[in-house]
Amino acid sequence: MSVTAMATATSPAVGSIRSRRSTSGVTRFKMAVRSSSISLAVAPLLTKLQQDCATPLPVLRNVADSMSADIRAGLAVDGGSDLKMILSYVDSLPTGDEKGLFYALDLGGTNFRVLRVQLGGKDERVIATESEQVSIPQDLMSATSEDLFDFIASALANFAKKGGNFHLPPGRRSEIGFTFSFPVKQTSIDSGILIKWTKGFSVSGTAGKDVVGCLNEAMDRKGIDMRVSALVNDTVATLAGARYWDDDVMVAVILGTGTNACYVERMDAIPKLQGDFPPSGRTIVNLEWGAYRKGLPLTVFDRDMDAASINPGEQIFEKTISGMYLGEIARRALLYMAEEGSLFGKSVPEKLSMPFVLRTPDLSAMQQDTTDDLQTVGSVLYDVAGVESALNSRKIVLEVCDTIVKRAGRLAGAGIVGILQKIEEDTKGAIFGKRTVVAMDGGLYERYSQYRRYLQESVTELLGPETSQNIVIEHSKDGSGIGAALLAATNSKYGRNC
Ligand code: BGC
């Protein structure tokens, strides 16, 4: 029986499962039989949601084509499209010859990471790495620029103190690859101006400033003697990190708290790029594809979430496909179904009204549930939203999660095809006629198997079974950390092999 059909039937006495924490911390379930019926009204609400979120092939094709067109328009002139098409100043990619000790700082989402890498050239490659991760306190996300950069500099100072077995030749300052994962207008490989914050950050006093300058000032305040030799977006660092191992990597995509993509472009295909080209003739371009907006199947829940956000009207693609938002879209849909369709019985669970109470990892946890009575779904709903649910309600909840995640994964796939298609149009066979790798990273991609499956499915649908065999979509675990250190090495003030 389909869930829609099921929802129209009442279920006389289903087991309502309440989760309880035992003293050992293991979740136990107590079956409490109670009469429960899902209102007839919920079925059409689910159907409507599924229709509004549908991504049949023509929708995907339209998104892929519009993405290609927006890429071209953004390459032609600054402000030419929703896509900023930011020049990264990364004109040479790691070759494997890089040697020496380099640091990477990674600020971009809920965590901040600092890492050190000892590179040993072609033979030894990555000799050793060490890293530390700290979560960004919520209040820092809306603090002052000085507070945020002081926090980063302190974490770096603490980490640098514990030198370990890493060796810096005498007389040299440590060099840093700074991964700063927000829209930045690069002004050189080691400087760039923050255009705006995304992903819920609203730190005052940084927009319009050189973020390397902000970091340098904080390092001075903390007495740290290091220099930034490369400022990069996380997509760019991921591409560099993946390319270090595999020459076929052409595109990198982040699907985490936020989302974005970059790719390797021929400089003569970038009309807005003036001046002489370096010998490689290629550069990495950062799309900032979170700002894409054309042809997306959006619902009232997306629109309401956007209107209530700190950046209304902005980052629409990001708000449709990235980890920060999927849980919230689902929460809004579930709340509506509870209010208008009595999804959880007569009363509406109060906690479900709290914005962002349901997170994307909760959706993922529920979708991994394989028990007959959907125990994990029951316990997540209870723990997160205080909802006591019957089996039929849980099944509807799963349908809602799947609808939101399916749309997101499939649209992300269409975006990837849009990029590949653009490069292929310029140089026939360069992408589809050979093995081409898309390096993926980010918690959403890494930890949500259904998301990955939907993404791959949409790429295959769009490209067809034969062409899609040449496109390898690959998880590049922590490519970004090593990638930033590698870019610090390729742009080292002391030369590549220090
Ligand atoms: C930022 C991008 C970043 C992406 C993934 C977006 O919100 O604008 O610069 O690459 O998140 O971290």
Side-chain angles (χ1 to χ4, degrees):
M1 180 161 51
S2 77
V3 169
T4 313
M6 195 183 62
T8 57
T10 53
S11 42
V14 287
S16 148
I17 294 176
R18 173 185 297 179
S19 77
R20 277 196 320 186
R21 296 269 162 210
S22 73
T23 42
S24 64
V26 176
T27 304
R28 296 256 165 75
F29 297 94
K30 182 181 163 204
M31 295 290 291
V33 179
R34 66 164 202 193
S35 172
S36 164
S37 63
I38 294 176
S39 153
L40 293 175
V42 81
L45 304 185
L46 177 62
T47 306
K48 170 89 170 80
L49 178 73
Q50 288 167 331
Q51 283 165 352
D52 289 351
C53 289
T55 49
L57 195 53
V59 168
L60 295 180
R61 180 111 38 227
N62 179 35
V63 168
D65 291 348
S66 306
M67 183 72 77
S68 298
D70 269 9
I71 290 176
R72 275 186 202 288
L75 289 175
V77 54
D78 272 336
S81 87
D82 291 329
L83 302 182
K84 293 205 166 48
M85 304 307 293
I86 294 170
L87 306 175
S88 65
Y89 289 83
V90 173
D91 305 336
S92 55
L93 283 156
T95 58
D97 290 329
E98 297 75 14
K99 280 188 182 163
L101 166 63
F102 295 92
Y103 282 78
L105 293 185
D106 193 340
L107 178 74
T110 39
N111 293 315
F112 165 70
R113 221 158 60 100
V114 42
L115 179 125
R116 110 181 104 220
V117 182
Q118 189 82 44
L119 299 169
K122 275 248 156 54
D123 296 333
E124 293 179 281
R125 293 274 169 158
V126 178
I127 298 172
T129 58
E130 259 177 23
S131 67
E132 256 173 36
Q133 180 161 304
V134 257
S135 55
I136 309 263
Q138 189 68 31
D139 55 338
L140 266 192
M141 290 170 67
S142 50
T144 65
S145 194
E146 275 186 15
D147 289 338
L148 177 67
F149 283 95
D150 278 353
F151 172 83
I152 297 174
S154 297
L156 174 61
N158 287 339
F159 182 71
K161 258 189 243 146
K162 313 169 206 154
N165 268 338
F166 290 74
H167 303 294
L168 188 70
R172 284 193 177 155
R173 288 168 88 194
S174 296
E175 293 182 285
I176 304 169
F178 183 20
T179 305
F180 185 78
S181 309
F182 299 93
V184 161
K185 167 114 185 87
Q186 295 266 162
T187 40
S188 70
I189 183 63
D190 59 2
S191 62
I193 290 162
L194 175 67
I195 301 170
K196 61 179 182 192
W197 290 106
T198 56
K199 297 177 276 199
F201 279 69
S202 61
V203 173
S204 59
T206 326
K209 285 211 186 123
D210 173 19
V211 291
V212 174
C214 294
L215 179 62
N216 284 338
E217 284 165 19
M219 290 200 295
D220 284 350
R221 285 194 290 273
K222 304 279 169 200
I224 305 170
D225 188 25
M226 294 181 161
R227 70 176 291 273
V228 173
S229 37
L231 168 68
V232 288
N233 184 261
D234 50 356
T235 53
V236 176
T238 299
L239 198 152
R243 182 77 170 231
Y244 182 64
W245 302 106
D246 187 340
D247 286 343
D248 291 339
V249 176
M250 287 295 285
V251 178
V253 175
I254 300 288
L255 286 161
T257 308
T259 183
N260 192 10
C262 73
Y263 72 105
V264 182
E265 182 57 285
R266 284 184 4 238
M267 287 178 156
D268 61 7
I270 310 177
K272 71 180 177 185
L273 185 59
Q274 305 293 329
D276 297 333
F277 300 154
S280 75
R282 283 167 189 264
T283 190
I284 301 181
V285 184
N286 163 10
L287 273 73
E288 282 298 332
W289 83 357
Y292 175 82
R293 58 174 63 239
K294 296 199 182 94
L296 302 174
L298 299 179
T299 66
V300 62
F301 310 113
D302 300 295
R303 295 200 180 88
D304 289 352
M305 178 183 72
D306 175 47
S309 70
I310 55 172
N311 52 352
E314 290 176 6
Q315 300 294 101
I316 302 299
F317 196 43
E318 178 160 277
K319 286 172 178 161
T320 318
I321 72 166
S322 87
M324 178 161 169
Y325 303 99
L326 301 187
E328 173 63 3
I329 302 168
R331 182 198 68 83
R332 284 173 178 270
L334 292 175
L335 179 63
Y336 181 70
M337 289 181 182
E339 286 169 347
E340 302 297 321
S342 306
L343 172 60
F344 302 114
K346 286 213 181 73
S347 60
V348 176
E350 209 182 305
K351 252 178 107 184
L352 204 54
S353 308
M354 277 172 64
F356 292 92
V357 73
L358 191 63
R359 299 160 321 121
T360 305
D362 299 325
L363 305 194
S364 174
M366 291 195 279
Q367 285 209 264
Q368 312 316 316
D369 192 347
T370 51
T371 59
D372 288 345
D373 49 356
L374 299 178
Q375 295 192 6
T376 310
V377 178
S379 80
V380 168
L381 288 173
Y382 186 77
D383 292 346
V384 166
V387 174
E388 284 201 57
S389 54
L391 182 56
N392 278 357
S393 314
R394 290 177 199 166
K395 290 190 177 170
I396 303 259
V397 170
L398 275 188
E399 288 280 326
V400 169
C401 297
D402 194 58
T403 304
I404 306 297
V405 166
K406 182 174 187 178
R407 176 184 66 164
R410 284 172 67 81
L411 291 173
I416 291 173
V417 171
I419 300 173
L420 297 172
Q421 201 167 277
K422 146 70 177 85
I423 321 176
E424 175 75 12
E425 275 162 20
D426 288 359
T427 326
K428 285 268 168 298
I431 295 293
F432 296 150
K434 60 175 255 308
R435 179 176 179 270
T436 296
V437 177
V438 180
M440 310 289 300
D441 206 0
L444 177 59
Y445 185 80
E446 189 182 348
R447 292 191 283 272
Y448 209 145
S449 55
Q450 283 84 355
Y451 192 104
R452 282 199 302 275
R453 192 161 45 75
Y454 285 131
L455 186 152
Q456 180 65 62
E457 195 180 272
S458 118
V459 171
T460 310
E461 253 177 65
L462 279 163
L463 296 181
E466 230 170 82
T467 304
S468 59
Q469 272 183 11
N470 282 341
I471 307 302
V472 182
I473 299 181
E474 215 166 58
H475 183 208
S476 160
K477 178 116 185 81
D478 191 32
S480 143
I482 306 267
L486 283 165
L487 290 171
T490 48
N491 294 284
S492 168
K493 152 166 180 276
Y494 306 106
R496 211 178 250 250
N497 305 319
C498 35

